[in-house]
Amino acid sequence: MVAPATLRVVRCGGSTLHGARAVFSADSYLLCASGDFVKMYSVATEETLRVMGGHADLVTGIQLNPHNHMQLYSSSVDGTIKLWDFMDGIPIKTFTVGSKLLALYALASSEDSVFVVIPKSGERDTFQLVSVKLTKAAGQDLEAKELSVVLDGVDASPKHIAFGREGEYVASVKEVNLQVYFFKQKQLNRFSVSAMKTKSGNNHFTCIACHPVEDCIATGHADGKIRLWRNFYHKKEYTFSTLHWHHDTVMDLAFSIEGTSLLSGGVESVLVLWHNESDCQKDFLPRLGSAIEYISMSSDGALCCTLHTDNRITIINSNLRFSKSIQGLIKSTDVKTGLVVDPRTKALVLNGEPGHLQFYCLQSDQQLFSLDIVQRQYIHQAGLNQADLVKVAFSAQGKWLATVEEREEVTDPELQLKLWFYDEETQSFKLNTRINMPHDDHITDMCFRDMDELEDDSLILVTAGRDCVFKVWMMVEDTDPEAQQSVSWSCDFVGSYHNYQATNCCFSEDGSLLAVSFEETVTVWDSVTWDLKCTFCHPPGKIRNICFGRLTCSKYLIGATDYGFLCCWNLLSCALEWSAHLNVLVLQPDPLSEHIAAVSWLSKESSLFVFKPNEPRPIYIQRNLCKEKIQLAAFVPRDEPEMIGSEKYLWLRRSQLFFLTDTQELMTLSTKSLEERLTPSSKQLAVEESLPVTPFSLLLGKHRRQQLQEDIDLGKLVRSKHEQDSPAVKELLHTPAHVLPSASFLCPIFINSLLISKDNKSAEEVADEVEMESEKTEDDSDEERDVTEMEHEDTSPMELLGEMTHKLSKSQEKELRKIRKMDYSWVSAF
Amino acid sequence: MATYKPVVIQAFPRLGERITQDTVYWRGYKTPVQIKEFGAVNKIDFSPVPPYNYAVTASSRIHIYGRYSQEPIKTFSRFKDAAYCATYRDDGNLLVAGSEEGSIRLFDISGKAPLRQFDGHTKAVHVVGFLSDKYRIFSGGDDYSSNLWDIPSATEIVSYSEHSDYVRCGCASKVNADVFITGSYDHTVKLFDARTKSSVMTIEHGQPVESVLLFPSGGLLVSAGGRYVKVWDVLKGGQLLVSLKNHHKTVTCLCLNSSGQRLLSGSLDRHVKIYSTTSYKVVHSFNYATSILSLALSPEDETIVVGMTNGVLNVKHRKPEERKEKSQKKRQPAYRTYVKGRTYMPKQEDFCVSKPVKRVLRKYDKLLKSFQSSKALDAVLEPPIRLYTPEVTVAVMQELHRRGTLRSALAGRDEKQINLLLTFVARRVIEPRFTPVLVTVADMITDIYQPVVGQSAIVDRQFLRLQEAIGKEIDYQEELLEVLGMMDTLFATFTKKRATHLEENKSNGLTETIETNMNN
């Protein structure tokens, strides 16, 4: 494979879905604005079918083209309106408007124009509704500069403007004012409600919806009331009636297609169906998970969908029955648990909906399942202190799960430590032990002793708390044979250090040492006798993160301090090996290699540094990873090591690095170019590997095996397996014929892929080494420009390495030539 | 979409004694019957045949009691001085007893005068017994000798004088008619075979032996002496299997239950301990008023009879098995209506349509589901919940507090309801598992009803009671802390001096509460 040029930061999940109301297409697809993309979901299977990208900024509005239901308009903050053919995912036209577009409305009655909300030029925080004339000119990129102002002084939110029956009038709300503009009469009526403050909040308008057939406007208010306005043709004799059930802000309203019923939703996460616009007849769909942001109806009225603040889409039947839920990465208010990888499913585990742990599958961008940890009814109401999950730890094989939940309370926090056992029968976690108040104060860190080779009963859990102690929990066998379960957990040891708060804990790779940081000091304990072995500190500044080196670097302990120092201590000599000035936010070791990733936050940008503990020089530096603050990172092991051409990115070979930003968007680093990533090759491979076992395949397999055997017996060099493994051949065979390049171009690739590995490898090696050399020099020059100040600069290993490669190439060159000449003859066999 | 989650009632581990099958079994006795004897009861022996009368040897008399009789149904009182060790023969027809004057007497159960009298011991005979062939008697006396007698001829067959101190206990093998053992104050247990001239085996117990016992199989021997109960393997040449030290005074008597699964030992420390004969762990223990000298268990464990040093005989009868379906008040549908169709195994071509399981919510859960806080609190203050499951009441209060509606739920109550609430709080606030929640509740109640203090005598009295309860608890806690401080200084002096920078406060681990959820 060709070595790609650079590492790209790829967004892979968690972008907000609530830029705009979702849109049902005529043939049961659901279209949603998701960050910079428009996503298309299948209503039947909940699958993401297509991701349409092209906007440079947030998508703020999507509307079906009223004259062609296979087309979609989308508007974005980047100032463009795009027309899509969403069935094929192709952008048809791009209209450049010029200013930020904050909402988009399309009407059937207006032939060639759409309505958008733009900021009023020259004034801050005032917006106007304008109609944009979309020119019919040919070409893809068009200018749309013909703007005519419809309404002035509107609100930026797309929920604050609605178009009435057959586009006769437009209604807009802002704060306590409602204005209705009649297109035909060119008349503007203004109404307002008295701005009174009640106990439950003010009565500002929050959303508006217009009746599809009658002249009726429904408005939602911040105090939970819904007002139905009629007779608004008259400036004075207008009437309104009030519906009140919500106790908090009404977030969105929607009329059914016939207009017989009204749907409303809000913070309570209850969808309310009002029949015949009367206060007494209503139905509820409670406990939808989180606050309802948008409600939209399908054009045939059979389905309704709610978008929630936690990025979930719920599809609801017309009879108010829950039908389906489309959920990717659930956005929680605060990811306190960190990013944890479940060793069993390789899923990313973090806070989901309140009190739950979500298992998020990275490959399919779907939530695998949600484990209820707190097991209490969550009350959707502002200002309530409810128990939430704060810490999660898995044992090495994923057999045990430890969770900590706490309820913030001023006087004494309510804490629970729960230990879950993976039940093979039910394939889920089962509560084993619950410990009330494991610490007197908040638990700051928790870790299992990861020991793959040892028996289950040596499992140890360590919790560090703000009550100045760390506790060691051990499994104890129950002596009573009649008891239902045989093991439970109990405290084995309590350790402290000069009454400092324990902040982090971490086991070494072999489990023999435990490092616990107490404010400014790192203490190292023997995990058998629980004796204090040694202490390290790097004054000034408290320890923020610690971790042990792995594999060949297991004698090092890495720590990051508050004052922006990254330190590496040698555990054998008990001395500081090196330190660097770096404000590290996240320190994440790769479980499968020696590499450690550190994410720093310097002058409003996040940078990534990858290093090995035995060298003070980073292997890889990426500046300006993203604009948002990176909160968390995790290495997720790959199923199979990826082929990575460049030496520089070798650290990504066995595991992939994921980040979670402040805005809870999940990002990763990819070596593949954009096009490669877009073709979901993984899916094709999966299909191929999961072919059903047919008699024919068995027969074929048998035959192949026999052949293989014969080959080996005969001592032939040919390995039939090789041809199957080659990705180049796979690509060749899986690409449709009409998009393949010319045969002359493909031939060398194909031939190369068939070459036996011996030859291949040596050739590659040489190439790699040359590359490495050049990159190393690049690195050096990088280094000098860096802000990082490595204290122990020594260039000697670098030089040594350089010499080595020279020697190698010289001595082997002749041999290589020989080999090249020799082994081509067998190609004719194919 | 999630369903409503009921309020979690926290299960707390039951502190103290763990309920096992053994405790249930051994607690199944009625309150004891006390019978006063004339002197210390040195032996109790059950007749091996129904109706399982038992012979009690105390002072100079032997009383025979029936199963439920409080008065002796027969008395043998032909002894000039103290009688010892009245023992039944296997068929329950003959009774043999030793005496202080050194003679051994054999009685017929139906008669009054002794059938035979064996004279030969020069000092008191404390132990007599039948060999399993029914025609011979063994005895041990204070003259250090162990003798064997022939019943028909009333003559001495053989006399062993191998012990060097009083012989005070003995036992015959049930499997071999020639084998018997005696234990003596010379710290040894000796095994004799009537066919040989000297003892076959000597076991060194280490303390004056007070009681010996052979298992029905004859393979294991139990000896008691000093504070120890020791189990020996006879077939392995007297190897010590296990040594039990569960009493803190001399163990005086041993007994096996009818199944042979449990070993009982009585001691001067007023306890009877019951061991499992597989694990040799104490599975249960009984307390008595005074030091125990003798102990017997009737066949089928129907009766436990314990004799004390002060001459009191303590008789416990097993409670009759409770009939579970005593009253058929309501005729319920037959069992098969419940299992109708449920045992049907779906065949391969069948489609299974599962019926949603109907979840039954408790009343308070239903009310909480519809956000009716006050009514939910009322529901858990109903007598059965309040009295028997206070943890439910407290859990609902906690849930209300979590929802921020506890104050409004507590407010607006009349005198009777406040009285009820305050009674509950005052009674339960001192229980450590409820304290955090109930302190908040008490706080709120005092806050809310402060303005009306003085208007109702009942409420005022309850407030005073609450104050008293909390005051008392604070005193207790202070005392406890003092004790803890004392213990800490003790621990500090006991533990070895370690490196000074090392701080281990293991004692802190004592105060934390650890709960294990057994049912989940």
Side-chain angles (χ1 to χ4, degrees):
Chain A
M1 284 181 90
V2 192
T6 50
L7 220 51
R8 294 181 323 108
V9 179
V10 179
R11 208 172 285 200
C12 60
S15 15
T16 51
L17 283 174
H18 41 78
R21 283 198 180 105
V23 168
F24 280 98
S25 78
D27 34 14
S28 80
Y29 296 111
L30 186 69
L31 293 146
C32 248
S34 164
D36 305 354
F37 303 98
V38 178
K39 281 189 178 172
M40 186 167 107
Y41 299 99
S42 156
V43 171
T45 62
E46 310 168 22
E47 236 178 328
T48 314
L49 296 178
R50 196 154 285 122
V51 178
M52 290 178 275
H55 283 294
D57 213 328
L58 283 180
V59 178
T60 51
I62 48 171
Q63 289 287 327
L64 287 182
N65 185 353
H67 309 293
N68 182 351
H69 62 81
M70 304 300 273
Q71 291 180 347
L72 177 83
Y73 285 115
S74 70
S75 68
S76 162
V77 180
D78 66 355
T80 56
I81 299 171
K82 279 178 190 273
L83 183 64
W84 301 86
D85 179 350
F86 58 82
M87 292 310 291
D88 297 326
I90 315 166
I92 302 170
K93 277 179 184 172
T94 305
F95 304 96
T96 312
V97 178
S99 53
K100 279 185 184 175
L101 308 179
L102 297 164
L104 173 80
Y105 308 93
L107 280 186
S109 54
S110 58
E111 191 60 44
D112 51 357
S113 57
V114 292
F115 297 89
V116 290
V117 173
I118 59 168
K120 199 172 179 182
S121 55
E123 286 176 61
R124 277 189 65 209
D125 293 333
T126 49
F127 303 93
Q128 52 191 11
L129 178 71
V130 296
S131 81
V132 180
K133 188 146 174 76
L134 302 175
T135 46
K136 285 263 167 86
Q140 268 214 335
D141 292 313
L142 299 167
E143 294 270 311
K145 293 291 181 194
E146 259 183 76
L147 307 180
S148 56
V149 178
V150 179
L151 266 179
D152 227 346
V154 299
D155 210 273
S157 164
K159 287 190 282 196
H160 286 198
I161 293 170
F163 285 82
R165 163 170 73 91
E166 286 146 23
E168 280 189 1
Y169 58 90
V170 58
S172 151
V173 289
K174 190 180 182 186
E175 290 172 357
V176 291
N177 301 309
L178 164 72
Q179 46 184 351
V180 184
Y181 177 74
F182 298 95
F183 286 104
K184 276 184 191 158
Q185 293 92 341
K186 299 228 171 16
Q187 185 194 358
L188 182 68
N189 286 358
R190 292 175 195 272
F191 312 99
S192 65
V193 290
S194 57
M196 55 165 192
K197 279 253 181 196
T198 56
K199 193 174 66 183
S200 53
N202 50 28
N203 56 355
H204 282 195
F205 288 97
T206 52
C207 52
I208 185 166
C210 292
H211 199 285
V213 283
E214 290 170 37
D215 283 331
C216 173
I217 298 172
T219 57
H221 296 260
D223 58 358
K225 283 184 183 142
I226 298 166
R227 290 197 169 87
L228 292 164
W229 303 74
R230 288 170 194 280
N231 258 352
F232 43 81
Y233 291 104
H234 308 283
K235 283 201 170 174
K236 289 271 153 54
E237 287 118 43
Y238 67 90
T239 56
F240 68 79
S241 57
T242 309
L243 307 175
H244 197 178
W245 180 84
H246 294 276
H247 67 75
D248 213 329
T249 313
V250 180
M251 300 281 270
D252 203 7
L253 292 167
F255 275 102
S256 66
I257 294 305
E258 300 83 19
T260 51
S261 53
L262 175 71
L263 286 162
S264 71
V267 183
E268 306 88 354
S269 71
V270 179
L271 187 67
V272 187
L273 178 70
W274 307 84
H275 295 285
N276 304 324
E277 294 153 25
S278 71
D279 210 353
C280 42
Q281 279 184 304
K282 50 183 182 285
D283 284 322
F284 304 101
L285 183 63
R287 292 180 289 279
L288 284 172
S290 67
I292 295 168
E293 189 77 35
Y294 291 98
I295 304 170
S296 43
M297 298 287 300
S298 71
S299 52
D300 55 355
L303 293 171
C304 148
C305 109
T306 55
L307 255 64
H308 299 262
T309 45
D310 65 352
N311 284 347
R312 188 192 348 220
I313 305 167
T314 310
I315 297 166
I316 294 153
N317 284 346
S318 56
N319 54 357
L320 218 62
R321 284 283 177 83
F322 171 82
S323 161
K324 283 185 180 70
S325 134
I326 299 168
Q327 43 195 0
L329 191 66
I330 295 291
K331 183 177 175 175
S332 59
T333 48
D334 191 8
V335 182
K336 292 175 184 158
T337 57
L339 289 184
V340 186
V341 180
D342 175 20
R344 196 176 291 268
T345 56
K346 301 279 183 296
L348 214 53
V349 178
L350 61 160
N351 280 121
E353 55 181 301
H356 286 63
L357 198 61
Q358 64 171 324
F359 288 66
Y360 171 74
C361 180
L362 290 160
Q363 279 77 36
S364 61
D365 187 22
Q366 267 182 332
Q367 187 182 311
L368 286 182
F369 64 96
S370 178
L371 183 68
D372 187 3
I373 301 288
V374 174
Q375 295 176 335
R376 280 185 181 169
Q377 187 64 39
Y378 187 81
I379 311 295
H380 294 276
Q381 189 183 326
L384 281 187
N385 266 337
Q386 300 191 57
D388 204 5
L389 197 57
V390 289
K391 290 279 174 283
V392 168
F394 280 97
S395 71
Q397 264 107 30
K399 201 171 175 189
W400 287 92
L401 165 70
T403 60
V404 176
E405 63 201 61
E406 66 180 34
R407 199 166 82 97
E408 291 277 353
E409 193 119 320
V410 190
T411 48
D412 47 344
E414 232 179 86
L415 283 176
Q416 277 198 353
L417 173 65
K418 282 177 178 170
L419 284 132
W420 306 74
F421 175 74
Y422 189 80
D423 192 356
E424 293 284 349
E425 261 178 47
T426 55
Q427 293 284 306
S428 69
F429 284 98
K430 213 173 156 188
L431 186 62
N432 176 274
T433 306
R434 192 192 68 218
I435 299 159
N436 281 350
M437 292 306 289
H439 282 264
D440 296 335
D441 208 336
H442 298 279
I443 289 180
T444 51
D445 203 1
M446 172 165 74
C447 64
F448 272 104
R449 185 162 76 170
D450 278 347
M451 293 178 86
D452 289 340
E453 70 274 11
L454 281 185
E455 288 293 300
D456 208 31
D457 52 341
S458 74
L459 211 57
I460 287 175
L461 177 73
V462 172
T463 53
R466 242 185 261 169
D467 55 348
C468 305
V469 292
F470 73 90
K471 289 189 181 179
V472 180
W473 306 88
M474 284 246 240
M475 241 193 294
V476 279
E477 296 245 350
D478 242 320
T479 44
D480 192 4
E482 277 98 36
Q484 284 186 344
Q485 71 187 47
S486 54
V487 288
S488 58
W489 290 75
S490 72
C491 187
D492 183 57
F493 177 76
V494 180
S496 67
Y497 183 76
H498 289 302
N499 225 14
Y500 289 132
Q501 292 184 356
T503 49
N504 289 288
C505 60
C506 172
F507 270 107
S508 67
E509 193 189 10
D510 60 349
S512 63
L513 289 177
L514 167 72
V516 184
S517 65
F518 289 94
E519 296 188 4
E520 293 185 0
T521 320
V522 182
T523 56
V524 181
W525 304 73
D526 187 319
S527 74
V528 181
T529 57
W530 300 115
D531 283 338
L532 183 64
K533 287 285 171 199
C534 56
T535 60
F536 299 110
C537 66
H538 195 282
K542 294 174 181 175
I543 303 289
R544 198 183 269 169
N545 284 309
I546 47 168
C547 72
F548 277 97
R550 288 188 175 263
L551 304 171
T552 57
C553 304
S554 55
K555 63 177 176 181
Y556 298 105
L557 176 68
I558 317 290
T561 68
D562 266 352
Y563 271 62
F565 275 100
L566 184 67
C567 317
C568 174
W569 291 286
N570 190 329
L571 290 168
L572 299 179
S573 62
C574 291
L576 184 71
E577 193 82 3
W578 53 266
S579 76
H581 193 63
L582 200 62
N583 182 26
V584 175
L585 279 188
V586 180
L587 193 67
Q588 188 68 37
D590 182 2
L592 297 176
S593 68
E594 299 99 331
H595 301 104
I596 293 175
V599 178
S600 75
W601 175 252
L602 265 179
S603 58
K604 304 214 165 160
E605 59 172 48
S606 296
S607 313
L608 170 73
F609 297 83
V610 180
F611 60 95
K612 281 189 185 181
N614 55 0
E615 293 178 75
R617 197 185 318 283
I619 294 169
Y620 175 78
I621 301 172
Q622 170 125 7
R623 303 221 155 264
N624 200 2
L625 203 59
C626 65
K627 286 187 207 97
E628 296 102 2
K629 205 168 177 178
I630 285 175
Q631 273 195 321
L632 300 159
F635 274 102
V636 180
R638 294 182 197 272
D639 291 339
E640 44 193 71
E642 201 173 64
M643 303 252 288
I644 285 174
S646 168
E647 168 85 3
K648 208 172 163 186
Y649 309 133
L650 264 185
W651 59 278
L652 278 173
R653 211 172 78 87
R654 301 197 58 187
S655 29
Q656 204 175 352
L657 188 61
F658 286 89
F659 313 100
L660 198 73
T661 62
D662 261 354
T663 52
Q664 290 197 22
E665 290 189 37
L666 194 66
M667 308 207 180
T668 186
L669 287 172
S670 165
T671 53
K672 288 178 186 164
S673 58
L674 189 69
E675 297 81 53
E676 266 184 291
R677 263 194 72 85
L678 281 179
T679 54
S681 58
S682 58
K683 269 187 189 171
Q684 285 177 6
L685 295 183
V687 167
E688 192 187 30
E689 270 143 32
S690 61
L691 277 180
V693 181
T694 58
F696 180 68
S697 75
L698 282 174
L699 194 72
L700 195 70
K702 206 168 156 191
H703 179 71
R704 274 194 190 161
R705 231 176 290 137
Q706 266 178 7
Q707 211 175 27
L708 201 71
Q709 206 85 106
E710 276 166 28
D711 287 349
I712 291 162
D713 287 347
L714 290 172
K716 277 185 192 172
L717 279 165
V718 188
R719 276 185 285 165
S720 56
K721 214 183 160 209
H722 185 250
E723 57 171 315
Q724 285 166 12
D725 278 349
S726 162
V729 176
K730 253 183 193 167
E731 264 180 23
L732 191 75
L733 296 177
H734 284 289
T735 318
H738 64 277
V739 295
L740 273 180
S742 66
S744 61
F745 177 73
L746 284 172
C747 190
I749 300 175
F750 183 61
I751 297 290
N752 268 330
S753 72
L754 291 178
L755 288 181
I756 47 167
S757 58
K758 193 176 160 194
D759 186 5
N760 236 349
K761 216 183 252 172
S762 52
E764 260 177 22
E765 247 171 64
V766 174
D768 269 0
E769 268 153 15
V770 174
E771 243 179 50
M772 191 170 74
E773 218 179 271
S774 62
E775 263 161 27
K776 288 286 172 187
T777 52
E778 267 177 37
D779 263 8
D780 275 0
S781 57
D782 259 358
E783 211 58 44
E784 278 151 25
R785 276 184 276 120
D786 279 345
V787 199
T788 56
E789 294 155 21
M790 304 303 180
E791 285 190 0
H792 298 253
E793 291 263 1
D794 52 341
T795 43
S796 54
M798 195 52 51
E799 284 163 14
L800 259 173
L801 206 68
E803 275 177 23
M804 286 281 281
T805 54
H806 274 298
K807 272 180 196 169
L808 252 168
S809 56
K810 271 180 190 172
S811 59
Q812 289 189 339
E813 233 170 12
K814 279 184 184 176
E815 279 180 22
L816 281 172
R817 271 181 208 152
K818 273 182 196 171
I819 293 161
R820 275 182 196 163
K821 280 174 192 171
M822 242 168 53
D823 275 338
Y824 279 100
S825 56
W826 58 270
V827 176
S828 58
F830 282 86
Chain B
M1 195 187 76
T3 49
Y4 174 79
K5 289 172 203 151
V7 176
V8 182
I9 311 294
Q10 297 224 342
F12 287 87
R14 216 172 270 278
L15 294 174
E17 204 184 347
R18 181 168 286 176
I19 302 288
T20 58
Q21 284 190 341
D22 274 291
T23 46
V24 172
Y25 183 81
W26 293 107
R27 272 188 194 159
Y29 287 100
K30 293 188 211 166
T31 30
V33 177
Q34 308 261 11
I35 301 167
K36 179 75 180 143
E37 290 289 331
F38 293 103
V41 180
N42 62 53
K43 175 80 179 176
I44 301 159
D45 193 38
F46 271 93
S47 163
V49 292
Y52 306 129
N53 295 332
Y54 53 97
V56 177
T57 320
S59 181
S60 62
R61 291 162 199 227
I62 300 166
H63 288 302
I64 311 273
Y65 289 93
R67 196 165 164 192
Y68 295 112
S69 64
Q70 309 243 358
E71 296 292 318
I73 50 175
K74 197 170 182 78
T75 306
F76 299 100
S77 52
R78 296 293 177 88
F79 297 94
K80 292 184 193 86
D81 208 337
Y84 295 112
C85 197
T87 311
Y88 277 104
R89 201 168 77 166
D90 275 351
D91 55 7
N93 289 333
L94 294 180
L95 192 74
V96 68
S99 68
E100 185 65 36
E101 62 261 36
S103 62
I104 299 162
R105 286 174 195 165
L106 184 73
F107 298 95
D108 187 0
I109 286 300
S110 46
K112 236 174 174 25
L115 291 178
R116 294 279 189 282
Q117 182 161 348
F118 308 95
D119 293 309
H121 281 290
T122 53
K123 279 187 177 162
V125 178
H126 275 270
V127 55
V128 284
F130 290 94
L131 290 188
S132 55
D133 64 0
K134 297 180 185 171
Y135 305 118
R136 284 180 292 178
I137 290 169
F138 73 89
S139 67
D142 283 359
D143 54 358
Y144 311 164
S145 65
S146 318
N147 291 5
L148 204 60
W149 312 85
D150 185 38
I151 295 173
S153 60
T155 51
E156 181 185 299
I157 303 170
V158 63
S159 174
Y160 304 98
S161 351
E162 293 192 15
H163 284 293
S164 54
D165 207 331
Y166 299 156
V167 179
R168 282 291 164 89
C169 55
C171 172
S173 166
K174 286 214 169 55
V175 282
N176 191 325
D178 291 317
V179 174
F180 70 96
I181 51 174
T182 52
S184 151
Y185 277 8
D186 64 356
H187 302 189
T188 59
V189 176
K190 284 182 190 283
L191 188 125
F192 298 99
D193 190 333
R195 295 161 293 193
T196 56
K197 285 286 165 206
S198 61
S199 67
V200 185
M201 190 186 291
T202 305
I203 289 163
E204 198 65 45
H205 178 81
Q207 278 83 23
V209 182
E210 295 283 354
S211 181
V212 287
L213 192 71
L214 267 175
F215 270 69
S217 65
L220 294 180
L221 189 153
V222 189
S223 63
R227 296 164 59 191
Y228 294 89
V229 174
K230 292 183 178 178
V231 184
W232 313 83
D233 192 340
V234 178
L235 301 180
K236 268 196 181 164
Q239 195 188 28
L240 180 65
L241 273 186
V242 66
S243 171
L244 308 167
K245 190 185 168 191
N246 293 92
H247 289 283
H248 54 267
K249 278 187 185 167
T250 307
V251 182
T252 51
C253 46
L254 292 171
C255 169
L256 276 176
N257 83 332
S258 54
S259 65
Q261 302 283 313
R262 298 284 179 267
L263 174 72
L264 287 81
S265 68
S267 154
L268 294 179
D269 66 359
R270 305 185 287 110
H271 288 284
V272 169
K273 304 253 176 200
I274 301 166
Y275 310 86
S276 154
T277 54
T278 45
S279 65
Y280 291 106
K281 292 253 163 66
V282 175
V283 292
H284 192 72
S285 81
F286 290 119
N287 261 345
Y288 285 93
T290 37
S291 303
I292 294 156
L293 273 187
S294 55
L295 162 75
L297 206 58
S298 77
E300 310 297 323
D301 303 342
E302 282 299 322
T303 316
I304 299 179
V305 187
V306 171
M308 321 275 187
T309 45
N310 62 354
V312 170
L313 194 66
N314 187 305
V315 185
K316 280 186 189 173
H317 292 289
R318 180 163 278 285
K319 283 178 196 160
E321 287 281 316
E322 279 179 31
R323 294 259 166 261
K324 273 178 187 165
E325 298 146 279
K326 235 190 276 176
S327 56
Q328 282 194 332
K329 290 176 211 159
K330 249 202 256 175
R331 195 178 142 71
Q332 302 216 323
Y335 174 65
R336 62 170 186 278
T337 53
Y338 288 118
V339 295
K340 197 171 179 184
R342 294 203 182 191
T343 49
Y344 180 77
M345 294 299 285
K347 297 198 181 74
Q348 206 171 12
E349 62 268 23
D350 290 351
F351 284 105
C352 293
V353 181
S354 57
K355 202 169 80 177
V357 182
K358 197 184 167 196
R359 287 167 73 240
V360 182
L361 288 179
R362 304 283 300 271
K363 193 178 168 196
Y364 57 85
D365 265 331
K366 276 184 196 158
L367 291 165
L368 280 176
K369 191 181 167 189
S370 50
F371 292 84
Q372 305 188 43
S373 320
S374 264
K375 283 188 183 168
L377 188 59
D378 287 343
V380 288
L381 286 173
E382 300 275 315
I385 294 180
R386 188 188 64 207
L387 296 176
Y388 302 113
T389 52
E391 61 268 18
V392 174
T393 313
V394 174
V396 169
M397 284 176 174
Q398 193 179 14
E399 172 71 18
L400 288 174
H401 183 46
R402 206 169 63 83
R403 293 176 173 210
T405 51
L406 182 57
R407 183 174 286 272
S408 50
L410 288 171
R413 290 174 182 270
D414 60 15
E415 183 186 52
K416 203 175 149 195
Q417 284 172 315
I418 302 169
N419 181 26
L420 206 78
L421 253 173
L422 278 172
T423 321
F424 178 79
V425 172
R427 191 175 153 200
R428 302 287 181 181
V429 75
I430 49 169
E431 282 184 43
R433 51 184 180 158
F434 301 142
T435 307
V437 183
L438 288 184
V439 163
T440 328
V441 173
D443 235 16
M444 282 186 183
I445 294 175
T446 35
D447 264 9
I448 295 166
Y449 296 103
Q450 204 180 16
V452 294
V453 165
Q455 294 181 12
S456 155
I458 305 169
V459 173
D460 290 355
R461 205 184 311 135
Q462 292 299 341
F463 270 118
L464 285 176
R465 271 185 57 192
L466 178 65
Q467 190 191 13
E468 195 186 336
I470 291 174
K472 237 186 222 172
E473 183 62 22
I474 290 171
D475 289 348
Y476 279 137
Q477 292 296 333
E478 271 171 8
E479 261 175 62
L480 279 176
L481 282 174
E482 275 170 27
V483 173
L484 208 65
M486 284 187 241
M487 277 160 73
D488 272 350
T489 45
L490 280 179
F491 283 133
T493 51
F494 279 138
T495 43
K496 269 189 289 175
K497 282 255 156 103
R498 304 184 75 167
T500 43
H501 65 271
L502 229 165
E503 283 182 40
E504 280 186 43
N505 37 359
K506 267 205 159 170
S507 59
N508 273 4
L510 292 172
T511 50
E512 78 209 354
T513 52
I514 300 167
E515 283 93 35
T516 307
N517 218 342
M518 283 301 178
N519 302 326
N520 275 326

